[in-house]
Amino acid sequence: VEAIAICYLFSFANATHEERTREIILARHPEVRVSLSSELDPRFREYERLCLTAFDAYLRPVMEQYLGRIRAELTSQGSSARFHVMHSRGGTTGDESILRNTVSTVLSGPAAGVVGSAYLGNLCDLGDLISLDMGGTSCDIALVEKGKPLQTSEGKIGRYPLRQPMLDINTIGAGGGSIAWLDTSGALRVGPASAGAIPGPACYGTGGTQPTVTDASLALGYLNPDNYAGGSMTLSRSLAEDAIRTAIADPLGMDVPTAAQGIHTIVNSGMADEIRLVSVFRGHDPRGFSLLAMGGAGPAHAGRLAQQSNIRRALVPPSPGVLSAFGLLVSDLEHEMSRTYRAEAVTADVADIHSTFVELENSCRRQMEQDQMGGAEIIVRRSVEMRYIGQSYELEAPFPSGSVDAGALSNAVNAFHDLHERIYGHRDSDELVELITLRVTLSQTPPHMWTPTETALGDPDPSPAQSGVRPAHFTETGGYVDTPIFARKAMTPGMIIAGPVIVEQDDTTTVVYPGTQASVDRFGNIIMELPA
């Protein structure tokens, strides 16, 4: 036994028994890690609280060892620097603080990419965007509104609830390694199974025999077989086409290019559905958003996805393959605490609400001080989870800062009504509203943030960056057409290209589809403008 999760029925109201149980365990087994539900999630609904505590106990030994190795390596190199760890809300927390709540890191990888997307969007005056992070095995899609990624307090890991504040990210099994297959009715499917890195797509020549999205991209001419991943790999087009022919084309009675286009169509349709889930299903019109593509495979599909989602602009950053790492550099230090607080809004004790907010804020400030960020301004955000009486689940609405009085509480209730109408399409301003949870989040911007270099727009002629021509297959052209190839590193701000065009760089390939015009902005981003 490496870890024990403790969850008592009413510990959210009184933590004494959980704390005493931990004392007894550690007195007998000091090497065991103990996770308490009253520290991780002091809120009612014991099943959700138990699941969260169990996930924390599962992660705690792994995270302790992982962070311990990093700390030891830094020490061995003579560094005493503190380091921060990304958590699922999209902020970072000091390495010691994170060990008190390891479950907060469970979806931290995708969160970093969304933070990087939001930062670049704000830099380019594109505050409303949808981020598309398509890698080898999965695709993560999130919505950023007015420069801020959307958050949720209800997630899932498999079939288990994860009641933890996190960025609202939809993940599906759609990546470059996703396997194309035929179901029992003969219909073409793509994913969620993936060829992974080993054996990998058939075109890798490392033992994979099943066709993947990457194989389809190669067969369509979008990828350069001789200069893949910056020349570190050589791809076999014949192996890709053989895999597609055997598994898809021949059984369906079609040629390989048509089958490859079918693979792209299916995987794009799945991702377009997820874009609708994070936009339309949450009350947002995607026509007012831009699509930001990242990951190794995202820029090859972004143009098609924008078309299918009625999005008129797509952005590909200079280094989309490492945008998650960039997100770590620009993320805020952040601490969050919440507490169950059940009361009807019309009879709630505003003085008691104020004292609870202050207590939560002071707890967060103590943790911020431990993380040693220095004198940067600390931003305090309050929120409250509310619902109409009789509902089973809540919506989180902002709560005004400052002293809590009847006016502040009324403003929060009105914000809840507005949020309910936007998400569910209706409101009932006369219905009684119930407060469920109070939450405080403190954030602090790092003192040294890296900013991309801004360059004045120059000559629009892209010919100096063209590196060749390659046949590529597009539905608009009805087959293969000689397509200009451009080297991303040679493209300068102001250059304008018209699709069909393929742009190659070490960490990804960008496909500009027919009918789309693209340009390089002052920060080096490729901006694709789609026809109305």
Side-chain angles (χ1 to χ4, degrees), residues 213-226 228 235 237 240-241 244 256-257 260-261 264 300 468-474 479-486 500-504 509-513:
V213 174
T214 297
D215 292 308
S217 297
L218 181 60
L220 294 171
Y222 301 161
L223 303 181
N224 186 342
D226 301 319
Y228 186 69
L235 304 182
R237 181 162 179 167
E241 292 177 340
I244 296 171
V256 169
Q261 280 289 2
H264 264 232
V469 175
R470 181 168 68 244
H473 191 284
F474 300 97
Y480 289 96
V481 61
D482 285 342
T483 304
I485 309 299
F486 288 84
V501 163
I502 294 173
V503 181
E504 297 179 346
T509 296
T510 300
V511 179
V512 181
Y513 290 88

Side-chain angles (χ1 to χ4, degrees), residues 440-461:
V440 170
T441 304
L442 270 63
S443 61
Q444 199 173 22
T445 301
H448 302 293
M449 296 179 67
W450 179 80
T451 302
T453 301
E454 183 175 1
T455 305
L457 301 182
D459 191 344
D461 179 15

